[in-house]
Amino acid sequence: LSAVYEGDNYSYDKINLRANVTYNEKEEELFLKFLPRGSIDLVNAKVNMKAISDPIEVPTVKMDFNPFDFNIEHTNVNIGKSDFSLQGRLSNIMPYFKGDSILRGEFNFDSRFTDIGALMALTSADTAEEEAPDAGKTGKGAAEDKQVDGAEDKPQPFLVPKNTDITLHANIDKAVMMQFFADTLSSLKGDIQVIDSKLIMDGLRFSSPLTAMQLTAIYRSVRPDHLYAYLDFHLLHIEVQDLLSAIPPLQEFMPMLGSFRGKGEFHLGAEVYMWDDYSIKIPTLRGAASINASEITLMDGEMFTQMLDEMGKIGGMKAKNLFKNFIFDPAKGVKFDTLSAAFVPFRDEIPVHPFLLSVDTYKSVLGGHHSIDMNYAYTLSLVESPLPFRMSIEVADKGKGAEFSKFK
């Protein structure tokens, strides 16, 4: 059986529908006057809608319904590249449409492959959290401004639906979310909740070809061009260079990580506001990040070559050669047995808390700050070594190369 309604095509191979309808003459809305109850068993349904580029295929649907609840025993859905099955309950349907309550739901979401970005675009709300329900629908204002700028062809951000409390218990074999992750994710498990205009991911675990990850996040669409995100992100045993390629935004607000080579454990906690293309509004950035690693190398040949020359002026060639052989090798970088460092991104500055670097019998402390434009200022102090003295050096780069202001 097939049908066409206002340009949209609907078809199915088999339907088993048992239902009765109660007429409520007290309701003013036509939709609310008819109160159906029953069950439906649908096979091989297909939907082609003008508003959705990809056809929707529903191999099976088995559910019962009444004016207040949909109890979904089982359903399979294919949309574009995504496939998933749902099992659970949607409640408060009648009160939600009357504006008396929020729409509630809890579902098991199982999938072999999910294009997360595509599903978010499909379920995005019409208006943001602080927009009026009719925002952008008049001939003047925001919508018209966007059309003037040619923004109608620009991908729009995800706007979290309002007046909902829906939880998905996700179990996804493979997923892509190209807005934030360059690689395909696998074994994604955890809870995803849409509640009170917030998208919440609670302890979501997943893997990439590079490492295992855990993410807790809160996302709010305050306005289309003012998106809020809180992140608690944990990555286990990852190559630092792979970390930057896997999460491209890190290169923008933690550029100093590009100087490290080796594997470590990375933890990031941050909150930030973003533009409608998810690029970071630097002045709003607040956060803290840490990296713990063993056998890691810090690469910056020019800076360390100059540092060696400064050390030679004070400690003589013997001290310079000792440092070159055991700590600062400009050709190979600085190799450390252990590294435990904490960064605190704030606006366009990244303060680096003093942390201990250890290699053989040498221990030094490094602290300072970096900026988004790669200017920096650090103090490196040698606090323990076979040498009969301690020393420290201050190094800074304000866009003209490394300069050593103090050495003692």
Side-chain angles (χ1 to χ4, degrees):
L1 181 65
S2 63
V4 178
Y5 178 73
E6 293 186 352
D8 298 332
N9 296 289
Y10 307 86
S11 66
Y12 58 86
D13 288 351
K14 179 182 177 182
I15 185 171
N16 186 4
L17 176 64
R18 294 184 178 89
N20 61 72
V21 179
T22 302
Y23 180 73
N24 186 355
E25 61 181 10
K26 295 181 180 180
E27 293 289 348
E28 296 182 1
E29 294 282 345
L30 181 62
F31 172 76
L32 301 176
K33 286 180 179 291
F34 298 92
L35 307 179
R37 298 174 183 271
S39 64
I40 185 171
D41 192 347
L42 189 64
V43 177
N44 288 337
K46 296 181 180 180
V47 179
N48 288 277
M49 304 178 67
K50 293 183 296 183
I52 302 174
S53 58
D54 293 313
I56 300 175
E57 298 179 354
V58 186
T60 60
V61 175
K62 190 171 184 179
M63 60 178 286
D64 55 54
F65 55 89
N66 60 58
F68 298 92
D69 305 298
F70 286 177
N71 292 300
I72 300 176
E73 182 177 333
H74 184 75
T75 183
N76 291 324
V77 181
N78 301 321
I79 304 177
K81 298 178 180 179
S82 301
D83 66 84
F84 58 89
S85 65
L86 284 178
Q87 181 183 23
R89 181 186 180 198
L90 189 66
S91 59
N92 277 7
I93 297 172
M94 178 68 74
Y96 170 75
F97 279 105
K98 295 174 68 174
D100 297 334
S101 182
I102 64 175
L103 187 65
R104 300 184 183 276
E106 185 173 3
F107 299 95
N108 294 327
F109 182 98
D110 297 284
S111 172
R112 289 173 298 177
F113 183 87
T114 299
D115 185 337
I116 298 176
L119 291 189
M120 290 176 67
L122 186 64
T123 57
S124 181
D126 293 330
T127 58
E129 184 179 333
E130 292 186 357
E131 287 185 304
D134 60 347
K137 294 184 179 181
T138 62
K140 301 179 180 179
E144 189 175 44
D145 291 341
K146 289 184 178 180
Q147 291 177 358
V148 171
D149 294 334
E152 66 275 9
D153 297 327
K154 179 181 177 182
Q156 297 301 302
F158 175 67
L159 305 181
V160 185
K162 304 176 185 178
N163 303 320
T164 58
D165 181 0
I166 296 177
T167 299
L168 298 180
H169 306 295
N171 182 14
I172 302 172
D173 292 340
K174 293 186 180 297
V176 292
M177 192 177 186
M178 301 308 296
Q179 298 95 327
F180 300 103
F181 298 99
D183 295 312
T184 299
L185 309 178
S186 60
S187 302
L188 191 151
K189 301 178 186 295
D191 289 347
I192 303 171
Q193 187 177 20
V194 176
I195 179 172
D196 193 24
S197 298
K198 300 180 184 69
L199 174 66
I200 300 173
M201 291 170 277
D202 187 9
L204 209 60
R205 294 178 177 271
F206 51 94
S207 301
S208 77
L210 307 176
T211 187
M213 310 181 193
Q214 180 174 330
L215 173 66
T216 294
I218 299 174
Y219 172 89
R220 289 173 50 212
S221 49
V222 183
R223 295 187 302 276
D225 62 349
H226 197 53
L227 311 171
Y228 169 86
Y230 162 80
L231 303 172
D232 185 347
F233 198 33
H234 200 183
L235 298 96
L236 303 174
H237 201 60
I238 185 170
E239 169 65 50
V240 177
Q241 295 303 304
D242 290 340
L243 170 67
L244 296 178
S245 62
I247 313 174
L250 282 180
Q251 300 183 48
E252 184 174 1
F253 66 93
M254 296 187 68
M256 80 289 292
L257 290 180
S259 299
F260 288 96
R261 301 292 185 273
K263 290 187 175 182
E265 181 176 316
F266 181 78
H267 187 196
L268 170 67
E271 64 174 359
V272 67
Y273 283 90
M274 301 172 288
W275 298 102
D276 56 0
D277 61 354
Y278 302 112
S279 60
I280 294 171
K281 296 184 176 182
I282 297 298
T284 70
L285 178 63
R286 307 285 189 279
S290 65
I291 183 169
N292 295 280
S294 58
E295 298 182 358
I296 197 165
T297 303
L298 179 61
M299 303 295 296
D300 193 337
E302 180 182 356
M303 184 179 76
F304 290 120
T305 298
Q306 295 183 44
M307 190 178 292
L308 285 172
D309 292 338
E310 293 293 324
M311 290 179 172
K313 294 177 183 178
I314 301 297
M317 289 303 297
K318 183 177 181 180
K320 176 178 178 179
N321 290 332
L322 279 171
F323 273 79
K324 180 175 181 179
N325 291 333
F326 292 103
I327 300 183
F328 301 114
D329 186 340
K332 299 180 181 179
V334 187
K335 294 185 177 181
F336 300 108
D337 294 334
T338 60
L339 169 69
S340 181
F343 311 89
V344 187
F346 180 77
R347 297 183 178 177
D348 59 349
E349 292 287 328
I350 304 104
V352 180
H353 289 298
F355 61 93
L356 184 67
L357 301 167
S358 175
V359 53
D360 293 333
T361 56
Y362 294 84
K363 292 183 180 180
S364 57
V365 174
L366 178 67
H369 71 272
H370 236 91
S371 62
I372 299 297
D373 58 9
M374 286 301 290
N375 291 337
Y376 58 81
Y378 286 107
T379 299
L380 177 66
S381 302
L382 184 67
V383 296
E384 188 175 319
S385 76
L387 300 174
F389 54 84
R390 294 184 177 185
M391 63 178 68
S392 68
I393 187 169
E394 294 182 6
V395 56
D397 186 344
K398 298 181 179 179
K400 299 179 180 180
E403 298 178 358
F404 299 88
S405 55
K406 292 183 180 180
F407 185 87
K408 56 184 178 180

